[in-house]
Amino acid sequence: MSLHGKRKEIYKYEAPWTVYAMNWTVRPDKRFRLALGSFVEEYNNKVQIVGLEEESSEFVCRNTFDHPYPTTKIIWIPDTKGAYPDLLATSGDYLRIWRVSDTETRLECLLNNNKNSDFCAPLTSFDWNEVDPNLLGTSSIDTTCTIWGLETGQVLGRVNLVSGHVKTQLIAHDKEVYDISFSRAGGGRDMFASVGADGSVRMFDLRHLEHSTIIYEDPQHHPLLRLCWNKQDPNYLATMAMDSMEVVILDVRVPCTPVAKLSNHRACVNGVAWAPHSSCHICTAADDHQALIWDIQQMPRAIEDPILAYTAEGEINNVQWASTQPDWIAICYNNCLEILRV
């Protein structure tokens, strides 16, 4: 799809509900396709799959499916070659894997690692390993992280069965775990980090799970909500504390001391996304309606101002930088999704 002929800089989609979770597909044949999750304070929520129509330059909803509780995160399978089935994962009460076709989306498997079926500890987030798409990691309010193995099975007739099993579960923090993310360090398969209500960033290695490394602790022990690895340089990661107006950049080689603080927002930061193609660009988004892009190559000198600022029509809940199309960023606010050319 070539949008460059029209050179439109912003495309907007209005959903029938508040949008919270969202993610770009990475499949080469589905470039301007995103999944959006509703945030409705009820049991019944929705996920929509939307795509940009080349002819009309408008977003169109391709299909909608029901989801129990709001999705805390949505990720398309990190399959840039289109070799796996077209899968989508969502977290909420459980981790669910969905199979997407042009006409419908159906549940392939529900992954629940709680042996006591009467109770489930909600999943705050998850990550899908980009080097090995058979690995997913979930974080939960029950202090644990779970690493799942996914089997995308043999093709039986025309049905490709998907199932999953727990590879390992570990107590990652002293309190709730709010985010988990695989690192690209050391081959990109075995290292991951998590953040949580105890205010720490902890790093783990699947090959040596008996110990973890604390790489940062919030000075006031405020809960840390998000964790985002630099896509090009696995030494750097970004995190942010609850109700904080700044994003902290860490270097794992220099534990416990931030190498930079990005603090131009005038309200709580809600989202952060590193550029897929550059180790020194990062986008932050907040309740002040602003999405800011920063160039951090001056580190460790202080980063004073962003290089680009976009003001939305509402508090920005989430930001996602398209990994296969690095000149597009998606933001969501209220019931709107916007994609911006940067």
Side-chain angles (χ1 to χ4, degrees), residues 118-223:
D118 300 337
F119 170 79
C120 76
L123 300 178
T124 50
S125 186
F126 75 101
D127 195 22
W128 203 325
N129 192 296
E130 292 179 9
V131 171
D132 182 354
N134 296 309
L135 284 181
L136 295 96
T138 56
S139 57
S140 171
I141 63 167
D142 68 4
T143 77
T144 67
C145 289
T146 303
I147 304 298
W148 296 88
L150 201 65
E151 291 83 40
T152 48
Q154 296 306 308
V155 178
L156 302 174
R158 299 193 54 192
V159 183
N160 199 344
L161 301 173
V162 176
S163 61
H165 66 280
V166 174
K167 286 181 86 76
T168 186
Q169 182 179 25
L170 56 132
I171 294 173
H173 288 259
D174 306 328
K175 295 180 179 174
E176 296 93 334
V177 191
Y178 289 138
D179 203 4
I180 180 174
S181 185
F182 287 103
S183 162
R184 293 198 177 179
R189 188 184 179 277
D190 297 294
M191 315 280 283
F192 66 94
S194 60
V195 292
D198 59 9
S200 69
V201 181
R202 302 192 185 200
M203 203 156 150
F204 301 87
D205 185 329
L206 286 174
R207 297 158 297 193
H208 311 287
L209 282 173
E210 59 281 358
H211 61 264
S212 64
T213 311
I214 294 181
I215 47 181
Y216 177 70
E217 289 187 287
D218 182 81
Q220 281 82 43
H221 302 289
H222 290 154

Side-chain angles (χ1 to χ4, degrees), residues 39 70 81 100 106 151 155 168 203 250 301 320 326 328:
F39 186 85
K81 296 187 174 65
V100 180
R106 69 163 198 266
E151 291 83 40
V155 178
T168 186
M203 203 156 150
L250 307 172
R301 293 221 309 275
Q320 298 275 317
W328 291 94

Side-chain angles (χ1 to χ4, degrees), residues 246-266:
E246 67 181 18
V247 170
V248 174
I249 309 288
L250 307 172
D251 182 337
V252 296
R253 298 162 298 188
V254 191
C256 303
T257 312
V259 281
K261 290 184 177 179
L262 309 179
S263 44
N264 278 44
H265 283 290
R266 294 185 295 280

Side-chain angles (χ1 to χ4, degrees), residues 1-282:
M1 181 183 294
S2 169
L3 293 165
H4 291 269
K6 303 196 177 72
R7 287 300 300 177
K8 192 170 168 185
E9 303 299 320
I10 300 174
Y11 295 86
K12 183 174 180 178
Y13 173 74
E14 293 188 34
W17 21 253
T18 301
V19 181
Y20 174 66
M22 61 161 177
N23 189 239
W24 294 88
T25 186
V26 300
R27 282 179 87 88
D29 55 339
K30 306 277 187 192
R31 283 181 53 204
F32 286 87
R33 182 178 69 164
L34 296 99
L36 312 175
S38 68
F39 186 85
V40 183
E41 290 186 22
E42 295 165 18
Y43 178 75
N44 294 318
N45 274 259
K46 303 281 186 191
V47 173
Q48 280 191 346
I49 292 166
V50 302
L52 199 58
E53 289 289 346
E54 192 171 7
E55 286 69 40
S56 61
S57 297
E58 300 287 332
F59 268 110
V60 174
C61 176
R62 299 272 161 75
N63 72 63
T64 302
F65 59 94
D66 293 324
H67 194 280
Y69 301 106
T71 48
T72 52
K73 198 161 186 185
I74 295 177
I75 306 181
W76 293 90
I77 185 168
D79 171 25
T80 52
K81 296 187 174 65
Y84 288 82
D86 198 2
L87 301 177
L88 181 70
T90 59
S91 55
D93 50 349
Y94 301 111
L95 180 65
R96 290 176 174 83
I97 311 290
W98 308 82
R99 177 189 298 259
V100 180
S101 71
D102 291 337
T103 51
E104 60 161 9
T105 302
R106 69 163 198 266
L107 183 65
E108 281 286 308
C109 62
L110 180 149
L111 302 177
N112 167 24
N113 70 342
N114 201 309
K115 305 300 174 273
N116 173 358
S117 58
D118 300 337
F119 170 79
C120 76
L123 300 178
T124 50
S125 186
F126 75 101
D127 195 22
W128 203 325
N129 192 296
E130 292 179 9
V131 171
D132 182 354
N134 296 309
L135 284 181
L136 295 96
T138 56
S139 57
S140 171
I141 63 167
D142 68 4
T143 77
T144 67
C145 289
T146 303
I147 304 298
W148 296 88
L150 201 65
E151 291 83 40
T152 48
Q154 296 306 308
V155 178
L156 302 174
R158 299 193 54 192
V159 183
N160 199 344
L161 301 173
V162 176
S163 61
H165 66 280
V166 174
K167 286 181 86 76
T168 186
Q169 182 179 25
L170 56 132
I171 294 173
H173 288 259
D174 306 328
K175 295 180 179 174
E176 296 93 334
V177 191
Y178 289 138
D179 203 4
I180 180 174
S181 185
F182 287 103
S183 162
R184 293 198 177 179
R189 188 184 179 277
D190 297 294
M191 315 280 283
F192 66 94
S194 60
V195 292
D198 59 9
S200 69
V201 181
R202 302 192 185 200
M203 203 156 150
F204 301 87
D205 185 329
L206 286 174
R207 297 158 297 193
H208 311 287
L209 282 173
E210 59 281 358
H211 61 264
S212 64
T213 311
I214 294 181
I215 47 181
Y216 177 70
E217 289 187 287
D218 182 81
Q220 281 82 43
H221 302 289
H222 290 154
L224 297 177
L225 300 183
R226 291 282 171 273
L227 154 78
C228 196
W229 288 101
N230 187 306
K231 299 287 187 225
Q232 294 290 329
D233 186 340
N235 289 312
Y236 294 106
L237 63 97
T239 187
M240 65 205 205
M242 185 181 283
D243 300 330
S244 171
M245 291 190 247
E246 67 181 18
V247 170
V248 174
I249 309 288
L250 307 172
D251 182 337
V252 296
R253 298 162 298 188
V254 191
C256 303
T257 312
V259 281
K261 290 184 177 179
L262 309 179
S263 44
N264 278 44
H265 283 290
R266 294 185 295 280
C268 302
V269 179
N270 294 322
V272 56
W274 289 93
H277 59 307
S278 155
S279 61
C280 58
H281 292 93
I282 187 169

